[in-house]
Amino acid sequence: MATSLLGSCTPRAVTAQGRDVNTLYDIFFWIAAGVFVITAGLIAWSIIRYRAKPGDEDLPKQFRHNLKLEITWFAIPQAIVIVLFVLSALTLTDVNERVPEPAATVNVTAYQWGWRFAYEGTDVEVVGTPQQPAEILVPTGNLAFLLTSADVVHAFYVPKFLIKRDTIPGRTTRLDVAVEAPGTFDGECAEFCGLLHHRMPFTIEAVSPDQFQSWLDDMSAEI
Ligand SMILES: [Cu+2]
């Protein structure tokens, strides 16, 4: 019960990719719920139906194996696992696909302990520290985050995107999303990276492309 209730705490996705992940969660949940109800139901039924009744002296009919039953309870879980595997692989392929013509490409560098966001094609850079976490603007629509780390492995995680990606020193990983509506989304580091790991929050505010452009112009003017 607790697992099902906590499962409903999954944030509602604000990206097209996150919605794909949500759909996959739902399919897993309902299949698991079905397996639970059938298994627990059969156990409960057997306990009640075949309990010892007054006057029962003999053992029930004894038998060693039942090939048909054994094949069935092998085949059903196999089929479920194969279906879930295929659905997961398809969702992963969709989620990892690059978005066409991103409205903004942001180079993100994680470091102990904060985040640097640099907008490709501009000089604009926002650097966060534990004392003053970064707050950045992005336009709604397609976004590409190119991620790397200056020191150890961190993970770029915006819970409402429902996807996270490791940032690895010396390598660039990529996270593409389509943000569907304006809003403010909290982010954090999701890979333990040292003493101030918990002090790496950041905020992404998605605004209309026009608002984003004027913010970007203001930021460039300040440099
Ligand atoms: Cu970190």
Side-chain angles (χ1 to χ4, degrees), residues 73-148:
W73 76 52
F74 173 75
I76 293 174
Q78 292 298 311
I80 294 175
V81 169
I82 290 168
V83 167
L84 291 179
F85 173 80
V86 171
L87 290 175
S88 303
L90 292 174
T91 305
L92 197 62
T93 312
D94 275 355
V95 164
N96 282 341
E97 214 154 86
R98 291 191 177 188
V99 293
E101 297 169 27
T105 300
V106 190
N107 290 301
V108 183
T109 310
Y111 65 93
Q112 287 170 316
W113 285 275
W115 301 87
R116 184 166 70 236
F117 297 89
Y119 291 82
E120 206 158 274
T122 74
D123 305 325
V124 176
E125 235 185 50
V126 179
V127 183
T129 62
Q131 291 71 32
Q132 194 162 15
E135 292 176 9
I136 64 159
L137 256 66
V138 293
T140 51
N142 291 342
L143 301 173
F145 294 95
L146 303 181
L147 311 160
T148 192

Side-chain angles (χ1 to χ4, degrees), residues 24-188:
L24 187 65
Y25 279 177
D26 287 346
I27 295 171
F28 266 75
F29 174 79
W30 286 113
I31 290 181
V35 168
F36 174 77
V37 168
I38 292 171
T39 312
L42 284 174
I43 292 172
W45 178 74
S46 305
I47 290 171
I48 296 164
R49 172 75 179 74
Y50 296 105
R51 71 191 188 282
K53 296 177 198 78
D56 278 353
E57 299 296 331
D58 302 330
L59 284 172
K61 189 181 152 210
Q62 302 291 303
F63 55 90
R64 299 177 81 90
H65 50 77
N66 182 326
L67 192 63
K68 263 192 206 157
L69 257 179
E70 282 161 22
I71 290 174
T72 310
W73 76 52
F74 173 75
I76 293 174
Q78 292 298 311
I80 294 175
V81 169
I82 290 168
V83 167
L84 291 179
F85 173 80
V86 171
L87 290 175
S88 303
L90 292 174
T91 305
L92 197 62
T93 312
D94 275 355
V95 164
N96 282 341
E97 214 154 86
R98 291 191 177 188
V99 293
E101 297 169 27
T105 300
V106 190
N107 290 301
V108 183
T109 310
Y111 65 93
Q112 287 170 316
W113 285 275
W115 301 87
R116 184 166 70 236
F117 297 89
Y119 291 82
E120 206 158 274
T122 74
D123 305 325
V124 176
E125 235 185 50
V126 179
V127 183
T129 62
Q131 291 71 32
Q132 194 162 15
E135 292 176 9
I136 64 159
L137 256 66
V138 293
T140 51
N142 291 342
L143 301 173
F145 294 95
L146 303 181
L147 311 160
T148 192
S149 166
D151 37 49
V152 299
V153 177
H154 303 266
F156 179 82
Y157 183 39
V158 179
K160 287 198 165 165
F161 289 0
L162 281 185
I163 312 165
K164 59 185 166 191
R165 186 80 79 227
D166 279 358
T167 70
I168 299 161
R171 265 171 65 177
T172 303
T173 47
R174 193 176 157 130
L175 180 74
D176 287 41
V177 288
V179 175
E180 295 179 314
T184 305
F185 317 119
D186 293 330
E188 59 202 56

Side-chain angles (χ1 to χ4, degrees), residues 154 189 191 193 197 200:
H154 303 266
C189 178
E191 184 74 58
C193 58
H197 165 65
M200 289 182 66

